[in-house]
Amino acid sequence: MGSSLWPPKVSMELHVKNREKLLASLRQHLSDSSRPLHGFVLLQGGEEQTRYDTDHLELFRQESFFAYLFGVTEPGFYGAIVRSDIATGDSLLFAPRLPSEYAVWLGKIKQLSYFKEHYMVSTTSFSDEIASVLQQHYQGAGKPLLFLLHGLNTDSNNFSKPAEFQGIDKFDKDLTTLHPILTECRVIKSKLEIALIQFANDISSEAHVEVMRKTKVGMKEYQLESIFLHHTYMYGGCRHCSYTCICATGENSAVLHYGHAAAPNDKTLEDGDMALFDMGAEYNFYGSDITCSFPAVLDAHNAVISSMKPGVNWVDMHILAEKVILESLKRGNILLGDVEDMMAARLGAVFMPHGLGHFLGIDTHDPGGYLQGLERRKEPGLKSLRTIRDLQEGMVITVEPGCYFIDALLLPAMNSPMTTKFLNQEAINRYKDFGGVRIESDVLVTAAGCYNMTKCPREIGEIEGVMAGAPWPAKNISTHARNGLEI
Amino acid sequence: MGSSLWPPKVSMELHVKNREKLLASLRQHLSDSSRPLHGFVLLQGGEEQTRYDTDHLELFRQESFFAYLFGVTEPGFYGAIVRSDIATGDSLLFAPRLPSEYAVWLGKIKQLSYFKEHYMVSTTSFSDEIASVLQQHYQGAGKPLLFLLHGLNTDSNNFSKPAEFQGIDKFDKDLTTLHPILTECRVIKSKLEIALIQFANDISSEAHVEVMRKTKVGMKEYQLESIFLHHTYMYGGCRHCSYTCICATGENSAVLHYGHAAAPNDKTLEDGDMALFDMGAEYNFYGSDITCSFPAVLDAHNAVISSMKPGVNWVDMHILAEKVILESLKRGNILLGDVEDMMAARLGAVFMPHGLGHFLGIDTHDPGGYLQGLERRKEPGLKSLRTIRDLQEGMVITVEPGCYFIDALLLPAMNSPMTTKFLNQEAINRYKDFGGVRIESDVLVTAAGCYNMTKCPREIGEIEGVMAGAPWPAKNISTHARNGLEI
């Protein structure tokens, strides 16, 4: 074991640039709508959580919008951006006032000046001073205006929680302007953001190769998860994963989100099992999301990536993937009849019930999939899409076609007059315990087309080679990791 | 790398016995207080949590009281114990009614009969049927009585949350009886519980040895954490740790709870650094809590374990540890004067500000440290004790004396007229960046004395040997793991 990678140093410039981008978008929006250019942006960072009634502390991970703007790893912070017509705007951090016992139990109490320098903000104060500090920055008459974060996450259907603090009643609140603008800032990635997603991809791709090398009949699925986690933490400094590892073999590979507490990667690998490993590490908040599997859906994966470029609509890419998969199932004599007719009957959703992919960044399901006014599609499969937008340069989106044999979907399809004629029931019954396959890469949309940030073995020959001990050409991987920005 | 251990099969008999124990205690309590022997015990298990506004699911870990009684690993359950004067009482599980999409995304929807068999309960129903099922079990007139869990956790000062469900207004509620009785059940461990804590100790001890073997100057602290996590998951099947790993070197070893998000085990190891590794894995809910460090406090650790037996008071053990540490600091010329005078001035708390140890089980800080009516001590050091009870056979308690050079405590002590005379300031300044040491074992109180469940190298010679590659006698470890119950 070992690695050619090393965790890159992260400059807080990344978050300075993110704040500048927000400020520019916000100004643009306000002047477009002829509103006055004053007010403060205020966000509240995450708090540490204890488990139920105990003093067991869960490992803290910053709230993603706050992480995007300020990069703060500690709990209990607030951050403000004080707009100004002249300069680029001041950024203010508010740190929690820690009790003196903190020094004994949790470490040196850092000075405000430390946070100012480390996080590259204009000033730092304590979080019990928010109201007075913001009032000092205010020049006008009446109550100053706060732009607070409140809006819908279209993946969870939850709303983000606007900041709360002592003295907030001394301010006017705007709860609608900030969320769509900040969300949209996160949709198009900067060079510094792309470099981090690339590193998360590089170390995770390498860890997938390590898993392929060590997979043996008789092992437990969670042992492969452990190998992945160890590789990304040991050599990549990735303490968090982007999501709970999915290490599915045999019929478990047909469970899209396998690996949670009620299905905890605990099957023993048997000879002939299909394997589907969906695992991605996170580095300095930015994630990766990679699935390796035997390459039955590789054609769909490759067809999509060949077609991606700015202006292409994501629903069309989903439909393209479905079509390639249905054609392949027809060639395999699993489906019968005309593929166009199958498409009209939405048969693709029986074998790929999830969407083709989603935005990726600080969240695995990065926000911004539905611009205000865009309606979700109603058809099976298409309704699961986490975005239906046209591609734009700077988006990072996963391409993850899959094909599964799921009883809960196949049985109704066999019984439906719409779809039963397409299904070769004898062949399908033979594949009943096959499970499923998925191939997932993280793809950056570029001006000319797109770039696949994920470097895993994909072709049957490549995978079999790596499993047999052949070196995997880490050349591309290390080049990307070392210079970070070159793509 | 490798291991002689393998995760043992866990029988749900463990939780059947835990329920029987609760029922016996509850009956005893009710007859002692001449109350009628009817009513239902009802607990609500934990729910899955998403992160902030996103659909990122945190890996679920069951609430500890619910885990104790029912052993259920899935979220969204309720459990009831229907007392009966004749037999041992029926146990009822209530499972969430899952939507049909669950089968596509999260796995096969298990039948109620599966849960009944797997968790060895009398009946299973859906959680929207709680009110009607309990009403069916009720024979008397008026509203049936529910014993709900509500009480203080003396480590966190949080209260446990009593069960809530649709139709609860059809029941009378008792919020005071259950918590102290159930807590006390958890204080004295059964043989089956001890076997699990022993396994968590065995795999964690072995992982500590693995860390000692691989520790090299130039590594990052978190790489040692990664080695520990990988070893306990890969070979022990331990997906959760009992607490966030503390991998402290150099002056960080003086930070008692180092390793959290604001101090994330990210220092590079330098030559001559003191090292303090406090890491413990959890297996089937039951934890371990082990600290390895250079053996400066080994005498205190050993003195306490030699004195532990039923009837001994834990405060006296804390004072014994303090005394041995102060004597050792006096021999090292760091302290000056009479040790009894130092004890009277509570000087021990300057070097060991935490308590000597705490109950361990399903929670790292297992509940029950303060029986109702027991008051916390007010003196420095003693006020940090998580229990002041007399030891009893079947308790599992950590013994973790430590000695730290913490500026935030040393500077005030140097300036206080009470303590300044004891402190050799010149010597202490030389140790300023030394950090701290802690040795922690998990100790079972037996009828005859006690048994140390933790098998790590402790003596200087042992540690240096293991670091140089000598085999660590795993003989004791594997014996205990294989037969589980033999101690």
Side-chain angles (χ1 to χ4, degrees), chain B residues 15-31 37-42 68-70 80-92 122 147 177-178 181-182 185:
Chain B
H15 303 288
V16 173
K17 289 256 189 292
N18 289 349
R19 291 194 294 271
E20 285 171 4
K21 186 173 173 184
L22 170 65
L23 211 54
S25 303
L26 191 54
R27 280 212 188 96
Q28 186 66 49
H29 173 87
L30 294 176
S31 27
L37 293 176
H38 67 71
F40 309 126
V41 168
L42 180 73
Y68 177 80
L69 286 181
F70 296 101
I81 306 180
V82 181
R83 302 188 310 102
S84 140
D85 297 332
I86 309 149
T88 50
D90 283 347
S91 50
L92 282 59
S122 320
F147 292 102
T177 304
L178 182 60
I181 292 172
L182 183 54
C185 287

Side-chain angles (χ1 to χ4, degrees), chain A residues 22 39-45 66 69-70 77-82 92-94 130-131 134 145-150 161-165 168 171 174 178 182:
Chain A
L22 170 65
F40 308 126
V41 168
L42 181 73
L43 270 80
Q44 180 171 3
F66 198 81
L69 286 180
F70 296 100
F77 276 67
Y78 290 76
I81 306 179
V82 181
L92 282 58
L93 264 186
F94 299 95
I130 297 176
L134 291 183
L145 180 65
L146 292 182
F147 292 101
L148 302 176
L149 191 67
H150 178 67
K161 192 176 142 285
E164 286 171 13
F165 62 94
I168 196 168
F171 298 82
D174 176 322
L178 182 60
L182 183 53

Side-chain angles (χ1 to χ4, degrees), chain A residues 1 6-7 45-65 73-75 100 102-108 110 151-153 155-161 179 214 218-220 222-231 233-245 251 254-265 282 353-355 362-365 384 386 406-409, chain B residues 1 6-7 45-65 73-75 100 102-108 110 151-153 155-161 179 214 218-220 222-231 233-245 251 254-265 282 353-355 362-365 384 386 406-409:
Chain A
M1 202 146 84
W6 187 258
E47 294 285 349
E48 236 168 358
Q49 303 290 331
T50 51
R51 196 167 67 194
Y52 308 110
D53 63 325
T54 73
D55 67 347
H56 178 105
L57 276 172
E58 306 291 356
L59 182 61
F60 174 72
R61 199 273 195 183
Q62 187 56 274
E63 190 280 322
S64 297
F65 284 108
T73 53
E74 296 92 342
S100 58
Y102 186 98
V104 176
W105 293 89
L106 295 161
K108 284 229 166 73
K110 289 170 186 139
L152 183 74
N153 180 303
D155 292 310
S156 66
N157 274 321
N158 296 330
F159 281 84
S160 54
K161 192 176 142 285
H179 189 272
K214 298 214 163 141
M219 288 175 82
K220 289 281 189 181
Y222 66 72
Q223 293 185 299
L224 306 176
E225 177 186 358
S226 186
I227 291 167
F228 181 88
L229 296 174
H230 182 48
H231 194 89
Y233 197 10
M234 184 81 184
Y235 303 109
C238 300
R239 197 177 202 187
H240 295 273
C241 266
S242 308
Y243 48 93
T244 301
C245 289
E251 57 178 343
V255 178
L256 303 184
H257 287 170
Y258 185 72
H260 55 100
N265 294 331
E282 166 180 315
H354 59 73
I362 299 181
D363 286 312
T364 306
H365 300 151
S384 297
R386 293 179 189 275
I406 303 173
D407 283 350
L409 298 175
Chain B
M1 203 146 82
W6 188 259
E47 293 286 350
E48 236 167 357
Q49 303 291 330
T50 50
R51 196 168 68 194
Y52 308 110
D53 63 324
T54 72
D55 67 347
H56 177 105
L57 276 173
E58 306 291 356
L59 181 61
F60 175 71
R61 198 273 197 185
Q62 187 56 276
E63 190 279 324
S64 297
F65 284 108
T73 53
E74 296 92 343
S100 58
Y102 186 97
V104 177
W105 294 89
L106 295 160
K108 284 227 166 74
K110 289 168 187 141
L152 182 74
N153 180 303
D155 292 310
S156 65
N157 274 321
N158 295 330
F159 281 83
S160 53
K161 191 174 142 288
H179 189 272
K214 298 212 164 141
M219 289 174 82
K220 291 280 191 183
Y222 66 71
Q223 294 185 299
L224 306 176
E225 178 186 355
S226 185
I227 292 166
F228 180 88
L229 296 174
H230 182 48
H231 194 90
Y233 197 10
M234 184 83 185
Y235 303 110
C238 300
R239 196 177 202 187
H240 294 275
C241 266
S242 308
Y243 48 94
T244 301
C245 289
E251 55 180 344
V255 178
L256 304 184
H257 288 171
Y258 185 72
H260 54 100
N265 295 330
E282 167 181 314
H354 59 72
I362 299 181
D363 286 313
T364 306
H365 299 153
S384 297
R386 293 181 188 273
I406 303 173
D407 282 351
L409 299 175

Side-chain angles (χ1 to χ4, degrees), chain B residues 94-159:
Chain B
F94 299 95
R97 203 185 286 272
L98 300 170
S100 58
E101 308 89 77
Y102 186 97
V104 177
W105 294 89
L106 295 160
K108 284 227 166 74
I109 296 180
K110 289 168 187 141
Q111 302 292 311
L112 290 179
S113 57
Y114 167 85
F115 293 119
K116 173 169 147 34
E117 258 184 60
H118 182 72
Y119 290 119
M120 297 176 71
V121 292
S122 320
T123 60
T124 37
S125 317
F126 287 114
S127 55
D128 51 20
E129 303 170 319
I130 297 177
S132 60
V133 168
L134 291 182
Q135 291 282 357
Q136 281 161 29
H137 272 82
Y138 183 58
Q139 312 285 335
K143 285 183 175 181
L145 180 66
L146 291 182
F147 292 102
L148 302 176
L149 193 67
H150 178 67
L152 182 74
N153 180 303
T154 56
D155 292 310
S156 65
N157 274 321
N158 295 330
F159 281 83

